[in-house]
Amino acid sequence: MSDTKPRILRSVRLLNAAEKRIETDFIAPPPPTTPLDTAAILKLAHEFQPVAILVTHHSPLKGADVAALPESVKLVATVSVGLDHLDVPALLARGIAVSNTPDVLTDCNADLTMMLIIAACRRAAEYYTLMKKGWGHTLGMDEMLGHRVTGKTLGIIGMGRIGQAVARRARGFEMNVLYHNRRRLDPTHEQGATYYESLEDMLPKCNILSLHLPAAPSGGPIITARTLALLPRGSVLVNAARGALVDETALIDALRSGHLFSAGLDVYQNEPNPDPRILALPNVFMTPHAGSATVETRTAMCMLALDNVTALVAGKPLPTPVTA
Ligand code: DGY
């Protein structure tokens, strides 16, 4: 190993292709066998003096953690598009660059969103439970019926890259797509969807509502008892963005009362230990924050994070910098 290679830390073992690249191009401690928490990252950073640290959303680096990073650290490269686990202003103020992994996970997150939409509308969780118990009786004509997805009205909150990719897929299901965003997109990016400046005006028109916006660092949830009440009775909520966007007690009430027919959730307020009241609901289809969890996408995310490190040490512009 040559000491001229950049020294890096990673909070988790990366995909094989990225681990091979680390072996060849970087100096790094052995891959962690379990994800490192923030305290472990800080301890190792002081011992190892890396130029860059690769983290995921499981290892937050907030105010005091940022202050505690050693001077050697010049880049925090998160292997995620989401940034809510990082205090970006504090990192930038310390002269530490930040990068994330946009674009490469857009398709897989949108695919998973479609899975949640279909699974929630078509009662996949209940069917799966029934089949695992052996099925055992012929279902009546009107027993355990779901709702048709084709032709329904889908509301999207947050029409960034992932929201647009979901809208594109929804068109394949002949859905009428509405969206609410801070500002209207150029029509060439709208994917045929209709813009609503007012969320309050859009919600009553949605059969299915899907969230595709980042969690605001200080803002409260966007899905609350008030916003849920504006959805039509029998609608479906899907969240593959961030758990912090949803007031889970209000969600549970809406699912229990039948105001919501069902929900499809990939993200939760308390990960990896979601509220047991959600786990107990039959009408929720759940996945474990797995929007980007494919070999192709996770490999691309790891490689992009390493590309940012390589660019930093070469004094070149970062491919995917976070600027604010
Ligand atoms: C992301 O990239 O933000 C995914 O949610 C994984 O953290």
Side-chain angles (χ1 to χ4, degrees):
M1 248 194 270
S2 147
D3 226 2
T4 57
K5 293 178 185 175
R7 300 170 75 82
I8 63 168
L9 279 191
R10 61 230 188 273
S11 65
V12 287
R13 184 188 169 86
L14 304 182
L15 276 275
N16 284 344
E19 286 295 338
K20 283 207 181 91
R21 182 167 162 196
I22 290 177
E23 258 178 61
T24 317
D25 296 348
F26 299 93
I27 299 175
T33 45
T34 53
L36 303 181
D37 63 16
T38 303
I41 291 171
L42 291 175
K43 182 169 178 289
L44 200 53
H46 279 274
E47 288 163 12
F48 193 74
Q49 297 287 311
V51 67
I53 304 183
L54 275 65
V55 295
T56 67
H57 68 275
H58 302 294
S59 6
L61 290 174
K62 297 286 172 111
D65 316 318
V66 172
L69 286 169
E71 285 297 323
S72 64
V73 177
K74 302 295 177 226
L75 171 67
V76 169
T78 182
V79 191
S80 67
V81 69
L83 296 163
D84 46 308
H85 54 299
L86 299 179
D87 187 340
V88 174
L91 285 161
L92 297 179
R94 263 205 67 183
I96 299 173
V98 180
S99 65
N100 66 343
T101 59
D103 296 317
V104 291
L105 50 70
T106 298
D107 284 330
C108 277
N109 198 293
D111 292 351
L112 183 116
T113 299
M114 294 311 293
M115 176 171 113
L116 295 179
I117 290 173
I118 296 167
C121 289
R122 297 298 303 270
R123 303 179 75 148
E126 290 161 274
Y127 290 169
Y128 187 73
T129 306
L130 178 69
M131 294 308 292
K132 281 297 199 188
K133 287 184 181 155
W135 188 5
H137 77 281
T138 303
L139 292 177
M141 276 293 280
D142 61 352
E143 201 177 340
M144 286 186 88
L145 301 185
H147 285 292
R148 182 173 58 188
V149 171
T150 300
K152 285 285 157 47
T153 295
L154 169 68
I156 291 178
I157 308 183
M159 195 67 154
R161 302 175 189 87
I162 298 173
Q164 290 171 44
V166 170
R168 267 198 304 284
R169 284 156 175 74
R171 282 172 54 196
F173 285 84
E174 298 163 31
M175 296 175 95
N176 172 31
V177 184
L178 319 177
Y179 77 99
H180 169 72
N181 206 35
R182 267 173 308 175
R183 56 185 170 75
R184 184 173 175 181
L185 300 186
D186 183 282
T188 54
H189 291 121
E190 280 185 323
Q191 317 297 336
T194 305
Y195 179 59
Y196 277 78
E197 190 178 351
S198 153
L199 180 63
E200 285 71 16
D201 288 347
M202 182 179 86
L203 291 177
K205 303 199 162 50
C206 301
N207 303 119
I208 302 158
L209 180 69
S210 191
L211 311 182
H212 298 287
L213 64 167
S218 53
I222 193 164
I223 300 303
T224 59
R226 187 187 70 82
T227 46
L228 284 168
L230 292 171
L231 286 167
R233 187 170 175 83
S235 49
V236 169
L237 178 77
V238 165
N239 187 10
R242 281 295 182 267
L245 296 168
V246 176
D247 172 340
E248 289 183 344
T249 297
L251 172 67
I252 291 160
D253 288 347
L255 285 162
R256 281 183 179 157
S257 72
H259 181 68
L260 284 183
F261 175 70
S262 60
L265 304 176
D266 185 49
V267 289
Y268 311 86
Q269 290 263 3
N270 190 29
E271 297 179 9
N273 298 298
D275 188 323
R277 294 173 302 164
I278 298 181
L279 302 178
L281 286 165
N283 51 345
V284 185
F285 180 85
M286 287 169 280
T287 49
H289 198 146
S292 64
T294 63
V295 177
E296 297 86 345
T297 288
R298 286 277 167 87
T299 301
M301 291 165 75
C302 295
M303 289 305 201
L304 183 52
L306 290 175
D307 291 346
N308 278 281
V309 182
T310 305
L312 176 101
V313 295
K316 295 189 177 150
L318 303 187
T320 49
V322 175
T323 49

